[in-house]
Amino acid sequence: MATVLKIENLHKSFKLGFLLKKKEILRGISLSVEQGEVFGYLGPNGAGKTTTIKCILGLIFPEKGNIEIFGHPYLSPKAKEKTGFLPENPYFYDHLTASEFLDYYSQLFLMKKEAKEEKIKSLLRLVDLEDSADLQLRKFSRGMLQRIGMAQALLNDPSLVFLDEPLGGLDPLGRKEIRDIITRLKDEGKTVFLSSHILQDIEMICNRVAIIVNGEIINQGALHDLISEKILFTEVILSGVNEKELKELGECLSGHGDRTLLKVFKEENVEKALQLAQSSKGKVHSLIPRTETLEDLFVGIVKQR
Amino acid sequence: MKIKAIAFNTFKEAIRDRILYLLLFFAAVCIISSRLLALLTVGDKVKIIKDVGLSSLSLFGALMAILMGTGLVFKEIDKKTIYTIISKPIHRYQFLLGKFFGLVLTLFIMLLLMSFIFLALVFFHTFTIEWEMLIAILFIFFELCLITSVALLFSCFSTPILSSIFSLAFYLIGHTAWGIETLIKKIPPGVGKTLAQFLYHFLPDLENFNFKTEIVQHLDIPSDVYLYSILYGIFYTLFVLIIAVLIFRKRDFI
Ligand SMILES: Nc1ncnc2c1ncn2[C@@H]1O[C@H](COP(=O)(O)OP(=O)(O)O)[C@@H](O)[C@H]1O
Ligand SMILES: [Mg+2]
């Protein structure tokens, strides 16, 4: 597989305040993204995700480091021709209507008139804003702005798309809509670089992730390599069973009324717990096996520091 | 063509700005109240109307250029609309030039509107349309282009309020450059004189664009004076735009 994006040893600091004190934001970021994957860039707020993306797109200039997009130096127009970008909390010219806005941006790609109209129509369909084509952006809801932002990122049919917290601040329905679009992009063979501080989002759609904390990448790799899929423990909720007997099978946690939450670590003990419930005419209310999640990994790593 | 796209969007955005119409309104009030002023004074009434009218055009045009020019780039950065533009295959200088031409187009339209009011008022007094006034107005336009570039330059690294103050100072000093000239003659050689000389050569002499008196008085102006003023305007504007681009190219959008 071809490498689409390659970042080596990226450093960036901001000069802040009256005394222009230097604050290091990125401390040697290196990562690479392969063609066709959905790459998750994961980190807590303020870790430097947006800063990294802004460096890649030439909005800010790193002090040190090397960035290549499709083998081109990153600031070259050739690299930009093939990339798209949806910023965090996007805001656009609110006096334009959705189609005027896309028309304006398509002029920056020197698109031909007919191709342009065709493209705008199909993009509005893709992001489900056909009915709002003539609505001014000031009247758009958060979710609609995010979707029109997605449309402008795709105007040039990019092979690589940068999405900065694309699901941020959306309701469940809005999140699903954006997730579906990302899945579509993946199916079309595009490479997606997705930043987020929300683990579930990344877990659901990404093939590979890099975890950034405090301006450094602390872990990088395929999702199933980072997280073990073995069952850590099983949570069983029972009622009508003698607690003393249960204690031998695992850890008894709180109970509501006569219900007991049992944390079982050995697989054979799960069976025993079920048998116990049956023999004492008790009830099993739920049984959930817990595997390690990205969250566990993440919390573990962040705690270590 | 990318410059054109940005220029037209800038224009579309600029003509929605209420400040523009507020200034236009005050300009109209000033132009029309020159009639009142003319009634109160002895001497050639029409001349006073022309003098006050042309001065209003210049002043309010400059205020429009400064207030809009200092806000436009800042707003794009502040509201982060610039993020999605700069990440497209476009050079930063194209963005800045697009902003410049969009604003110049806006000012051109505003100047036309003000000129219309002005010429109509003169027409009510003389019953002729005095086309030669347009020469004076054309040079006001050149001056506005220069002021726009200066406002853009300041807005590349500073906030709208500071930029407006700087640009306004530039406008005022530019119209009193002759004051510095006389100052240079009076002060003895030394640091003060060198400084004054430096200022005199570096700051523009905006009086180069002022043909109000000559035109109102129907004085003859040699054509090479016109030519000099035009070239002066073009080269100074270009010079300021180049500096603005050099600063803008290195800027972090944070
Ligand atoms: N405009 C700015 N001025 C000063 N510091 C900033 C600015 N933007 C971001 N930072 C700092 O840079 C760090 C990284 O920010 P950012 O890249 O936005 O994080 P993330 O996107 O991962 O939440 C934060 O600690 C933040 O305080
Ligand atoms: Mg961010």
Side-chain angles (χ1 to χ4, degrees):
Chain A
M1 258 198 285
T3 301
V4 169
L5 170 71
K6 194 166 164 192
I7 303 179
E8 279 167 348
N9 198 23
L10 197 66
H11 283 266
K12 175 72 190 171
S13 47
F14 287 149
K15 293 198 180 77
L16 293 179
F18 183 68
L19 296 171
L20 296 181
K21 231 181 86 188
K22 232 171 150 182
K23 184 183 171 205
E24 265 196 294
I25 307 290
L26 302 181
R27 312 154 192 256
I29 299 281
S30 300
L31 56 85
S32 65
V33 177
E34 306 295 323
Q35 181 162 14
E37 69 183 356
V38 178
F39 186 88
Y41 198 39
L42 181 66
N45 280 321
K49 302 182 295 290
T50 302
T51 307
T52 312
I53 295 181
K54 277 159 101 178
C55 282
I56 300 171
L57 293 162
L59 296 169
I60 55 180
F61 299 101
E63 279 106 45
K64 226 165 85 183
N66 188 33
I67 306 173
E68 269 179 21
I69 300 178
F70 300 106
H72 301 296
Y74 74 112
L75 288 178
S76 80
K78 270 198 188 130
K80 286 183 172 182
E81 295 278 359
K82 290 192 191 175
T83 54
F85 171 44
L86 168 66
E88 191 175 9
N89 304 323
Y91 169 90
F92 302 109
Y93 306 90
D94 56 13
H95 63 276
L96 298 178
T97 67
S99 51
E100 279 171 348
F101 167 66
L102 292 181
D103 184 81
Y104 169 33
Y105 273 24
S106 65
Q107 289 172 47
L108 302 178
F109 290 109
L110 303 177
M111 286 163 81
K112 295 260 176 343
K113 195 168 184 303
E114 280 141 39
K116 189 170 80 184
E117 280 164 7
E118 191 71 18
K119 187 80 205 167
I120 291 175
K121 250 195 208 148
S122 75
L123 280 176
L124 284 174
R125 201 173 323 124
L126 173 74
V127 300
D128 197 19
L129 286 173
E130 281 166 301
D131 298 336
S132 312
D134 298 318
L135 193 67
Q136 278 188 338
L137 296 185
R138 74 172 79 237
K139 297 182 183 136
F140 270 40
S141 70
R142 189 79 187 64
M144 289 161 85
L145 271 181
Q146 204 84 339
R147 278 183 281 148
I148 195 75
M150 192 67 111
Q152 65 80 31
L154 301 175
L155 266 173
N156 53 331
D157 227 339
S159 315
L160 171 61
V161 194
F162 293 91
L163 308 174
D164 194 359
E165 309 255 4
L167 305 171
L170 296 180
D171 58 20
L173 189 64
R175 304 166 77 80
K176 179 169 172 1
E177 282 165 342
I178 298 284
R179 263 204 318 267
D180 287 347
I181 296 173
I182 297 174
T183 315
R184 285 270 282 277
L185 296 179
K186 186 180 173 181
D187 292 343
E188 286 170 26
K190 296 188 194 313
T191 312
V192 179
F193 185 102
L194 181 123
S195 99
S196 178
H197 67 275
I198 298 171
L199 301 143
Q200 287 83 349
D201 298 343
I202 296 237
E203 244 172 349
M204 228 179 277
I205 36 189
C206 295
N207 313 78
R208 231 155 51 83
V209 298
I211 299 177
I212 173 175
V213 176
N214 213 352
E216 281 174 275
I217 301 235
I218 51 175
N219 217 331
Q220 180 172 191
L223 208 46
H224 52 87
D225 288 343
L226 294 188
I227 318 169
S228 68
E229 282 178 26
K230 77 171 207 284
I231 295 166
L232 295 175
F233 59 86
T234 309
E235 281 177 6
V236 191
I237 298 181
L238 317 109
S239 61
V241 186
N242 188 345
E243 243 183 63
K244 258 189 207 148
E245 287 179 64
L246 284 179
K247 275 207 175 112
E248 287 164 18
L249 301 175
E251 213 175 305
C252 263
L253 301 171
S254 68
H256 287 290
D258 57 345
R259 291 189 183 192
T260 313
L261 171 61
L262 186 67
K263 206 167 163 186
V264 189
F265 292 93
K266 283 189 192 144
E267 210 134 326
E268 66 262 25
N269 281 356
V270 177
E271 290 289 315
K272 280 185 191 161
L274 293 181
Q275 280 163 11
L276 195 63
Q278 215 166 24
S279 60
S280 54
K281 299 237 156 33
K283 249 183 164 176
V284 178
H285 297 273
S286 76
L287 188 145
I288 307 165
R290 296 274 180 204
T291 52
E292 188 179 32
T293 59
L294 202 45
E295 183 146 12
D296 299 324
L297 179 75
F298 192 51
V299 170
I301 292 167
V302 175
K303 257 191 201 153
Q304 267 174 30
R305 327 215 115 212
Chain B
M1 285 317 93
K2 295 176 184 177
I3 296 180
K4 195 174 95 186
I6 291 173
F8 275 115
N9 187 58
T10 304
F11 172 70
K12 268 198 224 164
E13 200 180 351
I15 54 167
R16 281 164 194 268
D17 202 325
R18 288 203 195 94
I19 286 184
L20 212 53
Y21 298 98
L22 197 68
L23 288 173
L24 191 65
F25 172 75
F26 280 117
V29 169
C30 270
I31 293 168
I32 292 168
S33 67
S34 67
R35 212 179 112 76
L36 222 63
L37 210 63
L39 288 177
L40 297 175
T41 40
V42 283
D44 193 336
K45 290 186 173 36
V46 176
K47 257 184 199 150
I48 289 175
I49 289 175
K50 287 179 185 168
D51 260 340
V52 175
L54 286 174
S55 301
S56 309
L57 252 64
S58 161
L59 177 67
F60 284 98
L63 285 179
M64 286 175 188
I66 290 171
L67 292 180
M68 310 280 313
T70 52
L72 278 177
V73 173
F74 181 84
K75 216 164 85 191
E76 297 253 4
I77 299 174
D78 193 44
K79 299 209 161 175
K80 305 183 176 173
T81 45
I82 200 165
Y83 289 8
T84 38
I85 299 221
I86 297 296
S87 61
K88 305 260 181 292
I90 184 169
H91 294 285
R92 289 192 176 190
Y93 80 87
Q94 291 174 316
F95 175 80
L96 207 60
L97 286 187
K99 285 276 141 194
F100 173 74
F101 286 117
L103 205 54
V104 163
L105 179 63
T106 314
L107 291 171
F108 182 76
I109 305 277
M110 288 298 139
L111 207 53
L112 275 189
L113 289 175
M114 291 193 285
S115 305
F116 178 77
I117 301 171
F118 169 63
L119 287 177
L121 189 73
V122 173
F123 180 79
F124 283 127
H125 286 83
T126 62
F127 299 104
T128 49
I129 298 176
E130 305 212 10
W131 294 112
E132 72 266 25
M133 290 299 141
L134 287 183
I135 299 177
I137 295 173
L138 177 71
F139 281 94
I140 292 178
F141 177 66
F142 276 115
E143 180 181 344
L144 293 188
C145 292
L146 174 53
I147 293 173
T148 304
S149 67
V150 170
L152 270 185
L153 167 65
F154 286 128
S155 78
C156 283
F157 57 85
S158 143
T159 61
I161 293 183
L162 273 182
S163 310
S164 299
I165 293 172
F166 290 147
S167 310
L168 209 58
F170 175 91
Y171 176 73
L172 294 177
I173 293 174
H175 275 292
T176 46
W178 51 268
I180 302 180
E181 199 178 5
T182 34
L183 194 70
I184 290 172
K185 282 186 192 131
K186 284 205 180 127
I187 48 179
V191 182
K193 188 166 178 132
T194 324
L195 187 71
Q197 266 168 344
F198 172 77
L199 275 180
Y200 180 70
H201 287 294
F202 200 67
L203 289 172
D205 186 352
L206 293 178
E207 285 297 306
N208 278 330
F209 304 111
N210 184 357
F211 290 99
K212 295 181 199 86
T213 328
E214 289 85 344
I215 301 242
V216 171
Q217 311 275 359
H218 302 290
L219 300 178
D220 266 344
I221 306 165
S223 55
D224 54 341
V225 172
Y226 281 142
L227 186 67
Y228 172 77
S229 287
I230 292 173
L231 289 178
Y232 185 83
I234 291 175
F235 280 106
Y236 213 109
T237 306
L238 266 181
F239 172 68
V240 176
L241 280 178
I242 288 172
I243 297 180
V245 165
L246 289 180
I247 293 175
F248 195 65
R249 265 172 45 150
K250 290 275 165 256
R251 210 196 133 146
D252 274 354
F253 301 123
I254 54 173

